[in-house]
């Protein structure tokens, strides 16, 4: 097959195939004992990441957005390690909280079949993330400044690719894990629904940072993918919308949906990069939420 044929195949076929593999994996996991759900998640995750990194290396949408040796070793790898360790600790404490405040299982949410349960759970958790994420960008006052300094770490890179998805301040990682874990438990969703929701949310989060020209047409109005989320990383404040992680319905309802089919932002990052540390200054970035800076009176929009 010619290079143009492969490019077209990847453009229109890669996402559906990867989504199908994810659904097959979920069916396999959910078909086993409840106590063993997620036992093969590491294998699924490693396969997905390796495949996407390989395709990015061969068919990058933008050469300027590529992963380089410098960005991987000086930025991505440290944040991958920090994020993994933080997620493990956050999951441990979340488990302690829900165990200490255990509630009787049952009721409406627990009895939902898997598909409607996952849809409802995604809508709930994504609504919570939408508002927290939006406050990170738009809130003012001391809380707004703190949230932006936590979240700005993810917006400093001027590239957008799969492993860059992991560039998050540890506090931001805690926010994500808390939203996915604690409300889901207290609302009484079944373990199967909670696990499937976490996997699908993670999948959309990774694919939305994919530096490959994949197009899904009308699905962009139902799911937050590559074509939609890249605008959230635009350096132009008017384009940096799309705060939801999985379903754009909340952006559509609250007037923050941005999507221009077939186009891409001119530049990624923040509007005023000189106000912030470089994205490879790991220690400085970790201390950023505690730092008084020149934008403390009014944090700039990204």
């Amino acid at each position: 097959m010619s290079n143009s044929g492969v490019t077209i195949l990847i453009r229109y076929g890669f996402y559906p195939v990867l989504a199908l593999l994810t659904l097959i994996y979920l069916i396999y996991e959910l078909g086993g004992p409840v106590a063993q759900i997620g036992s093969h998640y590491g294998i699924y995750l490693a396969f997905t990441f390796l495949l996407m990194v390989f395709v990015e290396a061969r068919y990058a949408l933008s050469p300027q957005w590529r992963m380089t040796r410098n960005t991987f070793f000086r930025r991505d790898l440290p944040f991958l390690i920090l994020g993994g360790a933080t997620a493990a600790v956050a999951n441990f404490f979340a488990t302690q909280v829900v165990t200490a405040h255990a509630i009787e299982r049952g009721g409406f949410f627990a009895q939902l079949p898997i598909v409607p349960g996952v849809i409802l759970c995604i809508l709930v958790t994504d609504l919570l993330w939408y508002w927290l994420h939006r406050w990170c960008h738009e809130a003012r006052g001391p809380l707004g400044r703190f949230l932006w300094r936590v979240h700005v770490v993810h917006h400093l890179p001027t590239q957008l690719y799969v492993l860059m998805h992991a560039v998050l301040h540890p506090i931001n990682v805690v926010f994500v894990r808390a939203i996915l874990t604690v409300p889901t438990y207290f609302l009484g969703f079944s373990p199967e629904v909670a696990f499937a929701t976490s996997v699908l949310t993670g999948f959309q989060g990774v694919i939305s940072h994919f530096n490959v020209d994949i197009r899904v047409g009308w699905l962009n109005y139902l799911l937050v993918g590559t074509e939609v989320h890249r605008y959230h990383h635009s350096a132009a404040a008017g384009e940096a919308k799309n705060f939801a992680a999985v379903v754009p319905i909340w952006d559509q309802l609250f007037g923050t949906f941005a999507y221009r089919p077939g186009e891409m932002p001119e530049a990624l990052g923040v509007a005023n990069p000189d106000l912030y540390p470089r994205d490879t200054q790991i220690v400085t970035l970790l201390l950023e939420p505690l730092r008084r800076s020149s934008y403390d009176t009014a944090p700039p929009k990204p």
Side-chain angles (χ1 to χ4, degrees), residues 9 32 37 41 64 144 159 176 242 273 279 292 300:
L9 184 63
I37 289 178
Y41 184 61
Q64 290 76 28
Q159 309 85 23
V176 173
N242 301 329
D279 59 4
R292 281 192 62 83

Side-chain angles (χ1 to χ4, degrees), residues 57-127:
R58 295 290 301 274
Y59 304 100
L61 169 64
S62 171
Q64 290 76 28
W65 297 359
R66 283 181 183 270
M67 179 176 68
T68 66
R69 184 185 300 271
N70 182 62
T71 60
F72 176 74
F73 284 105
R74 296 189 61 193
R75 183 189 67 202
D76 305 335
L77 184 58
F79 276 110
L80 277 167
I81 295 171
L82 281 169
T86 304
V89 173
N91 285 337
F92 171 79
F93 280 105
T95 301
Q96 298 303 307
V97 168
V98 298
T99 301
H101 300 84
I103 57 176
E104 185 69 27
R105 286 290 175 178
F108 174 76
F109 294 111
Q111 303 304 319
L112 284 174
I114 186 72
V115 173
V118 169
I119 292 173
L120 183 57
C121 192
I122 285 176
L123 288 172
V124 170
T125 55
D126 217 33
L127 176 61

Side-chain angles (χ1 to χ4, degrees), residues 128-147:
L128 295 173
W129 172 248
Y130 171 88
W131 280 111
L132 177 59
H133 195 185
R134 187 170 177 178
W135 290 336
C136 286
H137 284 261
E138 297 182 351
R140 295 295 184 250
L143 178 59
R145 293 193 292 271
F146 172 76
L147 290 174

Side-chain angles (χ1 to χ4, degrees), residues 151-169:
H151 188 60
V152 72
V153 173
H154 188 60
H155 283 274
L156 291 177
T158 56
Q159 309 85 23
L160 190 65
Y161 52 84
V162 168
L163 293 183
M164 173 267 160
H165 174 57
V167 180
L168 292 168
H169 195 285

Side-chain angles (χ1 to χ4, degrees), residues 79 153 156 169 277-279 281-289:
F79 276 110
V153 173
L156 291 177
H169 195 285
R278 294 191 304 275
D279 59 4
Q281 294 179 292
I282 307 298
V283 175
T284 306
L285 290 174
L286 293 178
L287 297 175
E288 180 68 9

Side-chain angles (χ1 to χ4, degrees), residues 193-259:
V193 166
F195 175 73
T197 297
S198 180
V199 170
L200 293 175
T201 299
F203 172 71
Q204 286 300 129
V206 172
I207 201 74
S208 67
H209 292 79
F210 200 30
N211 182 23
V212 174
D213 184 17
I214 57 173
R215 304 185 189 183
V216 296
W218 59 269
L219 275 177
N220 285 294
Y221 296 97
L222 297 179
L223 293 168
V224 177
T226 311
E227 295 175 88
V228 172
H229 186 71
R230 65 171 64 120
Y231 283 103
H232 179 67
H233 285 268
S234 174
E239 292 180 341
K241 305 296 184 180
N242 301 329
F243 300 110
V246 184
V247 287
I249 184 174
W250 304 124
D251 286 291
Q252 292 160 0
L253 286 175
F254 297 118
T256 54
F257 184 68
Y259 169 48

